[in-house]
Amino acid sequence: MKILISGTPGTGKTSTAKLLAKKINAKYIDLNKLAERNKWFIGWDNERKVKIMDTEKVSTFLSEIKGDIVVDTHIPSAGPPNADYVFILRIHPETLLERLKNKGYREEKALENAQAEILDVCLIEALENFRGELVWEINASKVKTEEIVSTMLKIMNGEVKERERIDWLSLICEEGSLEKFFKP
């Protein structure tokens, strides 16, 4: 089984992916570390000051792995194209902004990631690269990692039929905090 866990940085992908891998006796793969080890990059983004991952190389490598894997990445298109499940972890933008600041992110980078969360960037990329029935959103805002993994296992066992639909944009508009994230 191949499982992709994705989401904006700061949503809890790593702790969730590690725990799920342990629970199902699968190999945990941190895509950033894998790409770094193998030097699978195609360039440099001067604006964001990050390497640009060669998603084709990474994706091809993952598709050829035998056995069960749980892949952790914020870039859904780099995941295994033959994934059985794609879980997108979602966090309320206010919570995400605080988490990223506490992790030492620059204000500008933390805000960019909160905006990406509001605009469903990881979800849209997952839906563009995987069949819709494989993609599951999970609201990780106020739950422990164990609860997130429990929900994933229930989905994988066919115990959950109805999908959660998370719409942060509408929610922050209702809360009156849109201008905190998008300056006029």
Side-chain angles (χ1 to χ4, degrees):
M1 182 175 314
K2 291 181 177 13
I3 300 167
L4 174 63
I5 298 180
S6 191
T8 307
T11 55
K13 296 177 301 297
T14 301
S15 55
T16 301
K18 285 180 176 179
L19 182 58
L20 180 62
K22 183 178 178 182
K23 292 261 187 195
I24 65 171
N25 199 26
K27 181 178 181 177
Y28 166 77
I29 297 174
D30 178 324
L31 223 49
N32 288 337
K33 289 181 181 171
L34 177 71
E36 195 67 51
R37 251 192 333 270
N38 292 287
K39 299 181 182 6
W40 287 336
F41 298 100
I42 56 172
W44 177 259
D45 182 332
N46 280 325
E47 184 179 331
R48 292 185 178 86
K49 298 185 181 1
V50 294
K51 295 175 185 172
I52 301 169
M53 187 184 295
D54 186 338
T55 56
E56 279 189 42
K57 261 189 190 155
V58 174
S59 185
T60 299
F61 173 82
L62 293 173
S63 70
E64 295 170 354
I65 292 177
K66 305 292 184 227
D68 296 338
I69 60 172
V70 176
V71 178
D72 165 7
T73 182
H74 68 283
I75 308 169
S77 60
N82 53 347
D84 298 289
Y85 294 93
V86 178
F87 295 111
I88 306 299
L89 298 187
R90 307 296 306 273
I91 296 252
H92 189 288
E94 295 269 1
T95 304
L96 182 61
L97 198 55
E98 279 307 305
R99 270 192 196 179
L100 294 175
K101 286 179 186 176
N102 290 338
K103 283 181 151 189
Y105 277 62
R106 295 181 337 266
E107 175 77 29
E108 179 182 294
K109 188 64 178 168
L111 184 59
E112 178 185 351
N113 281 303
Q115 291 168 341
E117 180 67 11
I118 293 166
L119 299 174
D120 302 331
V121 171
C122 288
L123 173 64
I124 290 167
E125 186 174 327
L127 291 169
E128 288 173 348
N129 287 277
F130 299 94
R131 293 188 330 268
E133 65 268 14
L134 301 179
V135 179
W136 294 80
E137 289 180 88
I138 297 178
N139 188 343
S141 295
K142 296 179 181 174
V143 293
K144 295 186 182 323
T145 303
E146 293 78 11
E147 294 173 69
I148 298 166
V149 170
S150 175
T151 298
M152 290 175 171
L153 292 170
K154 287 176 183 173
I155 289 167
M156 293 162 58
N157 290 328
E159 298 170 38
V160 176
K161 302 292 182 204
E162 193 161 322
R163 291 166 191 276
E164 187 169 12
R165 175 64 188 111
I166 299 161
D167 182 0
W168 295 134
L169 183 57
S170 292
L171 183 64
I172 65 165
C173 285
E174 288 171 18
E175 294 172 348
S177 59
L178 183 64
E179 287 183 3
K180 177 177 184 172
F181 299 98
F182 299 95
K183 310 288 185 227

